[in-house]
Amino acid sequence: MPGKFITLEGGEGAGKTTCLMHLEKLIRQSGIDLCVTREPGGTRTGEKIREILLDRGNIDILDETELMLMFAARSQHLNELIRPALAADTWVLCDRFTDATYAYQGGGRGISQERIAELEQWVQQGLQPDLTLLLDLPVEVGLQRAGQRSTPDRFESENIAFMQRMRSTYLDIAAREPDRVKIIDSSQPLENVLLQIDHIFTDVLAE
Ligand code: T5A
């Protein structure tokens, strides 16, 4: 079976890490070769860029610098890890990808979609995820969940209006691309969220 590229997206505290581990288990139990990774990060260089991007002390990072660092990490990630894995028929499960750039740097920071699309085209050359699970929940609930867990990073420290714009950008993408992006209601109790993932995974295997 050719390698599938699956991404997980969502706002802060939406439960991506929890759901990623569940999906990873389902895929591995099906005997499929799998590479699990994340953005920003996933490579030695990408993880260094991640440190810069998430560090709350870096208050001087300009919006366009942030955008280009996201794509710099992504370029390294695609060339070093994602493309070779897919070429070897290994599935790739990635915690966030370019939809997050549209949602955070586009919706949140206000950078134009056209500017982001230019970089996307340059870096990805048309490569898109086969499937994206969008974990959606009200911003306030996600922040409460994330806050209970750890000290907020540079993005988690953004205000509610930023988060609302980010969420609505994600929902716009899902409305435009319903075949690729499946919305999961992650305000539900965890067992229900995981059941929604089970159903989607069953459909993927049946394709
Ligand atoms: N970013 C990233 C950009 O701005 N642009 C980009 O292009 C990219 C790629 C990366 C940051 O970078 C930004 C976005 C991000 O801010 P991250 O670590 O990937 O950082 O993102 P976070 O959202 O910060 O991920 P987290 O790991 O912090 O949150 P998760 O994974 O969404 O949430 P999770 O699974 O840890 O769950 C949070 C808490 O909620 C509980 C969990 O047990 C946990 O305690 N929980 C539930 N509780 C009740 N009911 C449920 N259904 C629950 N599901 C989970």
Side-chain angles (χ1 to χ4, degrees), residues 12 14-18 50 96 101 104-105 149 156 188:
E12 301 302 320
K16 283 181 297 82
T17 307
T18 315
R50 179 185 177 93
R96 296 193 187 278
T101 311
Y104 282 77
Q105 283 65 54
R149 199 200 36 196
E156 286 164 347
Q188 299 271 319

Side-chain angles (χ1 to χ4, degrees), residues 8 21 40 50 63-64 84 89 102 105 121 135 174 178 196 203:
L8 269 94
M21 288 191 299
R50 179 185 177 93
D63 293 352
E64 296 225 333
D89 294 342
Y102 282 101
Q105 283 65 54
Q121 175 52 30
L135 300 167
Q196 294 175 68
D203 290 346

Side-chain angles (χ1 to χ4, degrees), residues 8-21 38-41 50 53-54 66-67 69-71 74 94-106 109 135 137 141-142 144-150 153-157 162-163 166 170 185-194:
L8 269 94
E9 298 281 359
E12 301 302 320
K16 283 181 297 82
T17 307
T18 315
C19 292
L20 186 122
M21 288 191 299
R38 67 173 179 181
E39 288 211 348
R50 179 185 177 93
L53 282 163
L54 266 54
E66 180 180 289
L67 173 69
L69 284 175
M70 288 295 175
F71 273 105
R74 185 161 299 136
C94 188
D95 190 340
R96 296 193 187 278
F97 193 62
T98 305
D99 294 321
T101 311
Y102 282 101
Y104 282 77
Q105 283 65 54
R109 301 270 187 243
L135 300 167
L137 83 174
V141 180
Q144 196 182 15
R145 284 185 191 168
Q148 282 167 359
R149 199 200 36 196
S150 57
D153 63 34
R154 209 167 63 81
F155 293 98
E156 286 164 347
S157 310
F162 176 103
M163 301 292 179
M166 172 266 288
Y170 268 135
D185 178 2
S186 66
S187 66
Q188 299 271 319
L190 187 56
E191 55 271 29
N192 292 0
V193 174
L194 300 184

Side-chain angles (χ1 to χ4, degrees), residues 47-63 65-66 69 109 152-155 157-158:
E47 291 294 325
K48 284 181 184 279
I49 296 173
R50 179 185 177 93
E51 280 175 31
I52 297 171
L53 282 163
L54 266 54
D55 184 346
R56 280 181 77 182
N58 289 335
I59 49 169
D60 55 346
I61 296 183
L62 301 174
D63 293 352
T65 307
E66 180 180 289
L69 284 175
R109 301 270 187 243
D153 63 34
R154 209 167 63 81
F155 293 98
S157 310
E158 284 297 337

Side-chain angles (χ1 to χ4, degrees), residues 2-196:
K4 278 195 189 297
F5 182 22
I6 302 176
T7 59
L8 269 94
E9 298 281 359
E12 301 302 320
K16 283 181 297 82
T17 307
T18 315
C19 292
L20 186 122
M21 288 191 299
H22 180 70
L23 189 53
E24 175 180 2
K25 198 173 83 188
L26 291 177
I27 296 172
R28 289 197 194 284
Q29 278 171 352
S30 303
I32 294 165
D33 286 337
L34 179 68
C35 165
V36 180
T37 185
R38 67 173 179 181
E39 288 211 348
T43 62
R44 195 186 65 85
T45 302
E47 291 294 325
K48 284 181 184 279
I49 296 173
R50 179 185 177 93
E51 280 175 31
I52 297 171
L53 282 163
L54 266 54
D55 184 346
R56 280 181 77 182
N58 289 335
I59 49 169
D60 55 346
I61 296 183
L62 301 174
D63 293 352
E64 296 225 333
T65 307
E66 180 180 289
L67 173 69
M68 288 187 280
L69 284 175
M70 288 295 175
F71 273 105
R74 185 161 299 136
S75 175
Q76 188 76 28
H77 197 198
L78 279 164
N79 288 303
E80 194 180 317
L81 196 134
I82 296 176
R83 286 188 193 279
L86 294 173
D89 294 342
T90 297
W91 287 29
V92 175
L93 180 56
C94 188
D95 190 340
R96 296 193 187 278
F97 193 62
T98 305
D99 294 321
T101 311
Y102 282 101
Y104 282 77
Q105 283 65 54
R109 301 270 187 243
I111 297 177
S112 78
Q113 308 276 308
E114 291 74 21
R115 173 61 52 88
I116 297 171
E118 282 175 45
L119 289 170
E120 179 184 28
Q121 175 52 30
W122 183 34
V123 168
Q124 291 169 223
Q125 301 286 310
L127 182 80
Q128 292 290 343
D130 297 295
L131 172 70
T132 297
L133 304 186
L134 172 57
L135 300 167
D136 179 61
L137 83 174
V139 165
E140 293 80 0
V141 180
L143 285 177
Q144 196 182 15
R145 284 185 191 168
Q148 282 167 359
R149 199 200 36 196
S150 57
T151 315
D153 63 34
R154 209 167 63 81
F155 293 98
E156 286 164 347
S157 310
E158 284 297 337
N159 61 40
I160 295 276
F162 176 103
M163 301 292 179
Q164 304 280 20
R165 292 195 299 276
M166 172 266 288
R167 182 188 183 198
S168 86
T169 307
Y170 268 135
L171 291 173
D172 287 346
I173 296 171
R176 275 201 312 271
E177 298 185 61
D179 289 343
R180 174 176 70 87
V181 183
K182 306 295 175 199
I183 299 177
I184 291 177
D185 178 2
S186 66
S187 66
Q188 299 271 319
L190 187 56
E191 55 271 29
N192 292 0
V193 174
L194 300 184
L195 263 181
Q196 294 175 68

